[in-house]
Amino acid sequence: MASQKGNVTKEDLKTFKEEIVHQFHIISEDVISQVKLVAEGVANVNEELDRTRQELKTEIQETRQ
């Protein structure tokens, strides 16, 4: 980009815009990746909770008999 104030060209602005869009895409891809990891973690915790719940139900039923 031009170093002097007031001498910014349309090409400078286009280049700046393209760089901003590029950086946004990089950041958004990282955020999406992190959200997917969190979603996988939540699914794993949910599955473990379901297994534990079922084990407890079975144990309670066995204890009552």
Side-chain angles (χ1 to χ4, degrees), residues 44-54:
N44 290 337
V45 168
N46 195 30
E47 288 173 6
E48 180 63 28
L49 181 61
D50 287 344
R51 277 193 298 273
T52 303
R53 183 181 300 132
Q54 187 58 45

Side-chain angles (χ1 to χ4, degrees), residues 25-41:
H25 285 293
I26 291 172
I27 291 168
S28 64
E29 286 175 6
D30 185 47
V31 169
I32 289 168
S33 174
Q34 291 177 15
V35 168
K36 286 179 180 179
L37 286 174
V38 170
E40 288 176 17

Side-chain angles (χ1 to χ4, degrees), residues 9-39:
T9 65
K10 286 184 180 183
E11 187 61 34
D12 291 334
L13 292 175
K14 182 180 177 188
T15 302
F16 181 72
K17 176 186 170 187
E18 289 171 353
E19 180 61 24
I20 294 294
V21 169
H22 177 71
Q23 291 298 323
F24 175 79
H25 285 293
I26 291 172
I27 291 168
S28 64
E29 286 175 6
D30 185 47
V31 169
I32 289 168
S33 174
Q34 291 177 15
V35 168
K36 286 179 180 179
L37 286 174
V38 170

